[in-house]
Amino acid sequence: MDFETIKYIENEGIATITLNRPSAYNAFTETMNKEITNAIKIANRNDDVRCIVFTGEGKAFCSGQDLQDVDEDTNHADFLRSRYHPMLKAIKHISKPVVAAINGTAAGAGMSLALAADFRLVQPDIKFVSAFVGIGLVPDAGWLYMLPRLIGYAKAMEITVLGKPFSGREAYEWGLATEVIGPDEWDEKVKAFAQNLANMPTKSIALVKRYMMDSMNESFEEFLEKEAYAQRIAGLSRDHQEGVHAFKEKRKPTFIGK
């Protein structure tokens, strides 16, 4: 499928979605929101794809919403419901691990996209920027839901309200980033990280994604029942059987994602 504002490549079990408006620092447009949503759906339907990577073309990861696409008459609620919510739901509901490979500035809704991923890889000197309160808006695109869950209420308030940019290195120190990778090793190590995820038991990861998020909003007793249900599903998978056989045979397992 041809895209106008993103690049989509499948290779060795990894679907890479590259935001491709470098002259606008990969700012979101309506077309980009829709193309990302479609790309996620394509990746989810393909059993050969077992990991998704987001990154940006050029110097930025994503600078947020393209303000040329917004005017004084914009209904911001409808704007979010029609453009961002379908994209974010597709990302959060996909049954495969999602990696944000943050190669440059992630600002506003661009940072929200990074927060929606399961893992964040960063270069040490890239910048995260909260660009909402400074123009009299509320952080959106899932920001207020995800950020405090990732790093806690106090730090999330500091980042969101005070708006001071912070680096990839600081994001790692605060537990927001999974790994810091230097520019010289970037492509190699991002690929290796994604390849490792693609070789893991995909069904197990999908269950972890689903029920870990549920655990933040339910009682302990309710969650224990879901945990038992999830383990029953995982226990019937071919990857579980392979894992047990490999352990008994003292070899490395070969998972197929089923």
Side-chain angles (χ1 to χ4, degrees):
M1 182 175 181
D2 292 331
F3 293 104
E4 178 184 335
T5 64
I6 66 171
K7 297 177 183 177
Y8 180 84
I9 298 173
E10 295 178 1
N11 185 38
E12 297 181 3
I14 303 165
T16 301
I17 300 171
T18 303
L19 280 57
N20 189 31
R21 299 185 68 229
S23 62
Y25 299 103
N26 300 321
F28 285 117
T29 62
E30 181 176 11
T31 299
M32 182 182 282
N33 292 139
K34 291 180 177 178
E35 289 187 343
I36 290 173
T37 303
N38 289 337
I40 285 288
K41 291 177 179 178
I42 291 169
N44 203 33
R45 287 195 297 264
N46 187 349
D47 290 340
D48 291 335
V49 171
R50 294 168 62 189
C51 178
I52 293 90
V53 175
F54 279 101
T55 194
E57 184 72 23
K59 297 180 179 180
F61 176 71
C62 177
S63 60
Q65 173 61 42
D66 190 331
L67 295 182
Q68 299 298 323
D69 218 20
V70 183
D71 57 40
E72 293 180 358
D73 297 324
T74 297
N75 182 318
H76 290 79
D78 290 343
F79 189 91
L80 288 169
R81 292 186 185 111
S82 64
R83 297 194 186 189
Y84 283 92
H85 291 182
M87 178 185 75
L88 293 162
K89 289 175 183 178
I91 294 169
K92 293 308 295 181
H93 293 163
I94 192 169
S95 58
K96 301 169 185 185
V98 178
V99 178
I102 305 163
N103 57 301
T105 297
M111 182 170 161
S112 297
L113 175 64
L115 297 177
D118 301 306
F119 304 94
R120 279 154 293 282
L121 307 180
V122 297
Q123 294 192 19
D125 296 324
I126 63 97
K127 293 296 181 183
F128 289 95
V129 183
S130 173
F132 293 98
V133 174
I135 57 171
L137 289 176
V138 174
D140 57 30
W143 176 300
L144 295 179
Y145 185 89
M146 292 305 305
L147 189 59
R149 284 169 166 77
L150 292 169
I151 61 172
Y153 177 87
K155 200 65 183 178
M157 279 293 288
E158 177 186 330
I159 289 170
T160 302
V161 175
L162 301 183
K164 180 182 176 181
F166 59 95
S167 69
R169 190 178 290 106
E170 288 173 306
Y172 178 75
E173 291 170 355
W174 300 338
L176 184 59
T178 310
E179 190 173 330
V180 181
I181 304 171
D184 294 342
E185 303 176 295
W186 180 252
D187 292 339
E188 176 186 351
K189 289 200 170 182
V190 168
K191 181 179 179 180
F193 186 92
Q195 194 67 67
N196 181 56
L197 284 171
N199 291 336
M200 293 176 72
T202 312
K203 182 171 287 188
S204 176
I205 294 174
L207 291 165
V208 169
K209 285 182 59 169
R210 177 177 177 182
Y211 291 109
M212 186 176 289
M213 191 61 70
D214 283 357
S215 74
M216 298 179 185
N217 302 296
E218 295 180 338
S219 71
F220 184 59
E221 290 75 14
E222 288 174 321
F223 181 74
L224 286 179
E225 188 57 37
K226 285 193 171 184
E227 173 189 82
Y229 175 73
Q231 196 69 299
R232 172 60 174 165
I233 296 172
L236 293 172
S237 69
R238 291 168 63 182
D239 279 343
H240 170 61
Q241 296 172 15
E242 165 62 9
V244 171
H245 290 157
F247 177 80
K248 291 179 178 179
E249 296 165 8
K250 298 182 180 181
R251 61 175 173 82
K252 185 177 180 180
T254 302
F255 297 118
I256 61 173
K258 297 181 181 178

